[in-house]
Amino acid sequence: MIVDCAIYRDGHRTDGPEDLSDALAGARSAGGFVWIGLHEPTQEEFDLVSQEFGLHPLAVEDALKAHQRPKLEVYDDSLFAVLKPVVYEPESDAVSTGELMIFLGDAFAVVVRHGEGSPLRAVRRRLEHEPELLGKGPTAVLYAIADAAVDHYLEVAVELQNDLEELEAEVFSPDGGGSRHTASRIYTFKRQVLEFRRATGPLAPPLARLAGTGLYGAGVPFVNDRARPFFRDVNDHLTRVNESVESLDRLVSDILSAHLAQTSVRQNDDMRKISAWAAMAAVPTMLAGIYGMNFDHMPELHWVWGYPAVIALMAVLEVLLYRQFKRRGWL
């Protein structure tokens, strides 16, 4: 469905006509651009938009099917960008992603949103309060959306860092590390980091291209060259996010290794205790077994003090074994 449609002239909004071709023609004649926002459009709804704005069929297919990696593609009549906004759900400590497909042309910006996260009303309101930035044309739309998405990445990275600290405290607590659910929580958290990484990692080359840094020195069609400093700022923020994601991934792997090592040490301690008690139980069992044999002629068998002597011997041996195992830390 079409969420919003407006024409912007010199950075100021004018509600666009219902007919999309009239809106595009009016924007071009006035030296402005038309900005259309859609949320999970159907095939029929988007066919009208793609025909009026001459969008490339391959990009249209990607926009309808979603499930795309962040990327930037240049076609003859438009620029196509894909971003994956990330939403952190504090109730479940889970990360979910949506998708934003952005088509830029000489006088239009078409934004297709999939998923419930990252509504763009706040981005549109922010731009409408900055007419100087909005006056730069469709490039301002791409910059504002990318900037909002990456800034939210930073917020999500902070939330995940807090969750990781709680998980670390649980693993290294005296009792929490032995919980049967700890390994499951660590693995679930690692899956969340991986989901976050899939959104932030592939976005680095497109933003570097828009910023004109590294190997990407040439300008990008349909993007104002004067916007490069803005995209460089967004790219710097994304670099910080990717560094945070790498750090989170390494730390959670280290925590998982530490938890497995703790479990192994705890199991070894249990086995030593079991072995020590088994050794202590073996001594009286051995003596009782010897004197339980049915032979007529055995030493001290008919001695009056034989039974107390054997019991005393068992007690002495048990005490000696207990002190020995205790000194070695087995008990």
Side-chain angles (χ1 to χ4, degrees):
M1 58 177 292
I2 296 180
V3 178
D4 200 352
C5 176
I7 296 175
Y8 295 89
R9 299 185 181 94
D10 299 324
H12 298 283
R13 177 184 177 122
T14 302
D15 290 336
E18 295 183 359
D19 187 88
L20 296 180
S21 60
D22 293 341
L24 182 58
R28 283 174 173 163
S29 62
F33 71 97
V34 59
W35 180 0
I36 298 177
L38 301 98
H39 180 232
E40 297 182 353
T42 63
Q43 179 76 47
E44 294 74 15
E45 290 173 337
F46 203 62
D47 281 345
L48 177 61
V49 176
S50 62
Q51 291 171 7
E52 294 295 340
F53 292 93
L55 305 181
H56 198 277
L58 293 177
V60 170
E61 181 181 358
D62 290 344
L64 287 173
K65 291 185 177 181
H67 303 293
Q68 304 294 318
R69 287 166 54 90
K71 61 182 178 180
L72 181 68
E73 295 181 354
V74 178
Y75 297 102
D76 293 336
D77 299 323
S78 63
L79 178 73
F80 179 60
V82 178
L83 290 85
K84 294 182 76 69
V86 175
V87 178
Y88 178 81
E89 300 172 0
E91 295 81 9
S92 58
D93 294 336
V95 170
S96 61
T97 58
E99 288 191 44
L100 292 173
M101 283 77 170
I102 306 167
F103 296 87
L104 289 190
D106 59 338
F108 66 86
V110 177
V111 182
V112 181
R113 179 167 61 93
H114 289 270
E116 296 301 325
S118 186
L120 298 177
R121 289 195 183 96
V123 176
R124 191 184 285 261
R125 284 199 301 268
R126 170 198 162 192
L127 278 178
E128 290 176 352
H129 284 86
E130 298 183 31
E132 183 178 355
L133 178 60
L134 193 55
K136 297 184 181 296
T139 302
V141 176
L142 178 59
Y143 159 71
I145 294 175
D147 184 53
V150 173
D151 284 348
H152 196 60
Y153 288 165
L154 291 170
E155 298 173 6
V156 173
V158 172
E159 295 290 346
L160 289 177
Q161 183 65 44
N162 293 335
D163 289 346
L164 181 62
E165 291 175 359
E166 294 177 2
L167 189 59
E168 186 177 20
E170 177 183 338
V171 168
F172 291 103
S173 65
D175 301 324
S179 172
R180 67 178 62 184
H181 302 295
T182 302
S184 176
R185 284 196 60 197
I186 297 173
Y187 181 75
T188 300
F189 184 84
K190 192 171 181 63
R191 293 288 302 175
Q192 302 300 323
V193 174
L194 178 60
E195 185 73 15
F196 191 26
R197 192 175 190 172
R198 288 173 177 169
T200 63
L203 185 58
L207 276 182
R209 186 177 179 185
L210 290 169
T213 58
L215 300 176
Y216 307 101
V220 180
F222 308 107
V223 175
N224 194 326
D225 288 339
R226 290 179 296 177
R228 285 189 174 189
F230 295 93
F231 286 110
R232 279 200 294 269
D233 179 68
V234 178
N235 193 37
D236 289 341
H237 291 175
L238 181 65
T239 301
R240 288 173 50 195
V241 171
N242 283 329
E243 290 174 352
S244 298
V245 174
E246 291 289 339
S247 176
L248 287 171
D249 190 48
R250 288 196 301 269
L251 285 174
V252 73
S253 297
D254 292 342
I255 289 175
L256 180 59
S257 299
H259 172 66
L260 295 177
Q262 282 183 326
T263 302
S264 178
V265 170
R266 194 174 293 111
Q267 290 175 344
N268 289 336
D269 289 341
D270 293 340
M271 288 302 299
R272 285 189 298 180
K273 291 179 181 179
I274 294 172
S275 300
W277 287 111
M280 292 173 63
V283 172
T285 302
M286 178 189 67
L287 294 177
I290 291 174
Y291 280 92
M293 293 186 294
N294 297 319
F295 291 103
D296 290 334
H297 303 285
M298 293 183 66
E300 295 86 25
L301 186 62
H302 300 286
W303 185 34
V304 175
W305 297 101
Y307 176 74
V310 171
I311 295 299
L313 179 61
M314 289 182 183
V316 170
L317 292 176
E318 290 295 305
V319 170
L320 291 176
L321 286 174
Y322 180 83
R323 293 182 62 184
Q324 184 71 11
F325 289 137
K326 192 73 174 177
R327 185 163 50 248
R328 294 189 177 185
W330 284 38
L331 291 174

